[in-house]
Amino acid sequence: AAGGRVLHALDAQPAAAGDRLLVALSVGMVLCGLVGEVLAVLGCLRAWPVAVTGAVVIALGAAPLRATLVSLRPRVDARTLLFLAPAVLGLLVVLVSFATPPIGGDQTKYQLAYPRMYAQAGALVPSTSVWGQQQFAQNFVYAVGYATGGEFLARVLAAVTEVLAAIAFGVLLERHLLPGAGLLGGIVFFTLPICWSQMARAGVDTAVTLYGLLAVTAVLDWRRSGRRGDLWRTAVTAGCAASCKVFGLLIPTLVGLVVLGELARRHVRWGATVRGAIGYGALVLALCTPFYVRNTWRMGNPIYPFGYSVLGGQEWSSEAADYLDLYFNQYQRRFAAKRAGEPYRGWGVLRFPWDVTMYPESFELSARQTLDLGPITLAFLPAIVLMRQRRAAVWIATAVGASFVGIVAGAAWAHPRYVLPGVALCMTAALVGARELLGRRGFAVVLGATIIGNLALTGKLLQMWPDQVRVLVGRMSTETFMRRYSPRWDFWQAANPVVGPSGRVLVLEKIIHPYYIETPF
């Protein structure tokens, strides 16, 4: 309702009812996160303020939402059901896993840990931790989930984001790049092992991916129609990407360059160009600024603690910044040894596309399938030189995606999760290249084999799933399950009573896994 009302006010709704629902729900997720942040700042992040806000929002946005739902004309046939089967299967599997507490990954370090603390306290929790300040729109969506429905709802919202991203992938493919392949392409993306692990582990990179796909779709809509509302939708969705993570700031920047290039191509007058650029920038800032203002207010640096040499920041120092760089370098060096390599330096970053495809396990202490991006992008992206139709749209998607990957890998941290938004855009173009190279039948065979391979590799992530089912049906206790699979949870079951309610816990870096700590810290 909130997202639809914003789009309606800007005359920025897509033409198709299904697309309107997709974009409205996606924008509404960020607005939900904004509400969560405001309530946390005010010290009233509780169920009843969320309910009151929700009632007001529904009252204001009921009309456009009702119109969109009434105009939907879904078609369900045997082919659609066949394509959707692996996605539905994966979704059911991950929902069952939510019956047990989260185990491993950044979710227990900060992605879910801080939102849960905010919901428990009903307010922001003071923290000078590096990761305590990296809490943006998606994290406050989780906080709203914790405040209203507990852990299960918070984790389901992560799954919702992944579903929306898969649909956005298919919409971009169907509308602008490869008509007729949107549904199958969306399933290929949804079944990628890294997407499944992100859905199960409540990451935020999937949210940046969602809004990056929507922003590129919108700018291509605007390029085709010239309608100002499509440009405003581009700005809104790009601003949503920037509101989810610091790396997300690249999306409005790169898409903004596409907007300026298109204005130059059309020979738009100088005054109109300036007005369009100002309007685009204002909408981007309206969506993302509140989350960076919070960091500026609390720590004196919008992207605390990064950029200390330029932006400064409280509770930090040049020595701390140097140590953080050393910590990251040691981390990268340790895992690069798995591929008999070194951290990327200079031109060495050109190896990254090969390494991230062939050795995804060399970027983190995890199994290959947790970070696997699949072979499609590396294999078929070069084939876009063969395409004969929709060249401009394909090259725009490729340019934005490849630039995102190159900047993150070269200037920040080459890591599969961090480049996922750019890889998703490059993958849409790679599917076009695959279709040009293989023909219709070969394309269908390769994509079918890819889906089967994705499911087989993802299946290796399910070692805990039988026991999670036992917990769900009451055949195993949560305590037994956690003791079997999480040494850190087992440690804190013993440590929490010793610390006691009046004790204090000091978290060094992120090794302690704050999710399991039950005492003040």
Side-chain angles (χ1 to χ4, degrees), residues 29 56 64 112 197 272 292 297-298 432 440 453 470 474:
M29 294 281 279
V56 172
L112 290 178
S197 65
Y292 296 94
W297 163 55
R298 292 171 64 87
V432 179
R440 180 188 297 178
R470 293 185 183 97

Side-chain angles (χ1 to χ4, degrees), residues 53 101 189 223 294 314 420 491:
T53 306
F189 177 77
R223 190 175 181 276
R294 186 195 74 253
Q314 303 169 19
L420 181 59
F491 164 74

Side-chain angles (χ1 to χ4, degrees), residues 50-402:
V50 173
V52 171
T53 306
V56 172
V57 165
I58 290 173
L60 294 175
L65 178 59
R66 181 170 56 250
T68 298
L69 293 174
V70 168
S71 59
L72 281 175
R73 295 290 184 272
R75 292 180 300 171
V76 179
D77 52 26
R79 175 176 174 271
T80 303
L81 293 175
L82 178 63
F83 284 161
L84 287 178
V88 173
L89 176 63
L91 194 57
L92 291 175
V93 167
V94 78
L95 288 176
V96 168
S97 72
F98 294 164
T100 55
I103 294 175
D106 290 342
Q107 58 183 344
T108 56
K109 300 170 185 174
Y110 58 95
Q111 299 290 24
L112 290 178
Y114 286 91
R116 188 180 72 158
M117 286 191 288
Y118 298 158
Q120 288 174 339
L124 293 179
V125 176
S127 169
T128 56
S129 163
V130 170
W131 311 113
Q133 309 309 317
Q134 300 299 306
Q135 301 295 303
F136 296 101
Q138 187 73 1
N139 300 103
F140 282 97
V141 170
Y142 299 152
V144 170
Y146 276 110
T148 56
E151 183 175 271
F152 183 81
L153 177 57
R155 298 175 72 189
V156 164
L157 290 171
V160 169
T161 303
E162 178 61 44
V163 172
L164 294 176
I167 297 172
F169 185 99
V171 168
L172 173 57
L173 200 62
E174 184 72 26
R175 296 283 182 269
H176 295 287
L177 306 183
L178 194 59
L183 181 59
L184 187 56
I187 301 302
V188 170
F189 177 77
F190 186 81
T191 56
L192 284 177
I194 191 172
C195 292
W196 194 90
S197 65
Q198 285 290 283
M199 179 170 59
R201 297 190 173 192
V204 300
D205 296 284
T206 302
V208 180
T209 303
L210 163 63
Y211 298 113
L213 291 164
L214 292 178
V216 171
T217 302
V219 80
L220 293 177
D221 285 343
W222 171 68
R223 190 175 181 276
R224 176 187 292 173
S225 69
R227 195 173 71 89
R228 188 172 293 271
D230 291 335
L231 176 60
W232 299 153
R233 186 171 72 256
T234 302
V236 168
T237 50
C240 288
S243 73
C244 291
K245 190 171 184 174
V246 172
F247 287 160
L249 291 167
L250 286 173
I251 297 296
T253 303
L254 296 172
V255 174
L257 291 175
V258 175
V259 170
L260 291 176
E262 179 62 16
L263 291 172
R265 186 183 72 87
R266 295 181 184 180
H267 303 291
V268 176
R269 288 180 297 179
W270 174 250
T273 299
V274 171
R275 288 193 297 272
I278 292 175
Y280 175 89
L283 285 173
V284 168
L285 291 175
L287 267 298
C288 72
T289 297
F291 300 97
Y292 296 94
V293 166
R294 186 195 74 253
N295 271 356
T296 304
W297 163 55
R298 292 171 64 87
M299 306 306 298
N301 180 345
I303 58 173
Y304 178 90
F306 305 109
Y308 177 80
S309 61
V310 176
L311 300 172
Q314 303 169 19
E315 307 292 342
W316 203 246
S317 65
S318 298
E319 291 79 10
D322 291 341
Y323 168 70
L324 192 61
D325 290 340
L326 176 63
Y327 168 78
F328 287 147
N329 182 264
Q330 290 174 334
Y331 185 97
Q332 294 167 10
R333 186 176 300 278
R334 179 155 54 104
F335 293 113
K338 289 185 177 182
R339 58 178 181 270
E342 294 286 332
Y344 303 110
R345 294 290 182 271
W347 292 105
V349 77
L350 294 178
R351 282 189 52 89
F352 177 65
W354 174 265
D355 291 340
V356 79
T357 304
M358 305 304 294
Y359 308 105
E361 69 276 12
S362 68
F363 292 91
E364 201 171 277
L365 183 61
S366 61
R368 173 192 178 91
Q369 56 269 21
T370 304
L371 299 172
D372 191 274
L373 291 164
I376 286 285
T377 306
L378 183 65
F380 293 110
L381 187 60
I384 63 174
V385 298
L386 303 175
M387 58 179 301
R388 295 180 293 274
Q389 297 178 336
R390 299 181 177 85
R391 291 183 179 180
V394 172
W395 282 106
I396 287 172
T398 304
V400 174

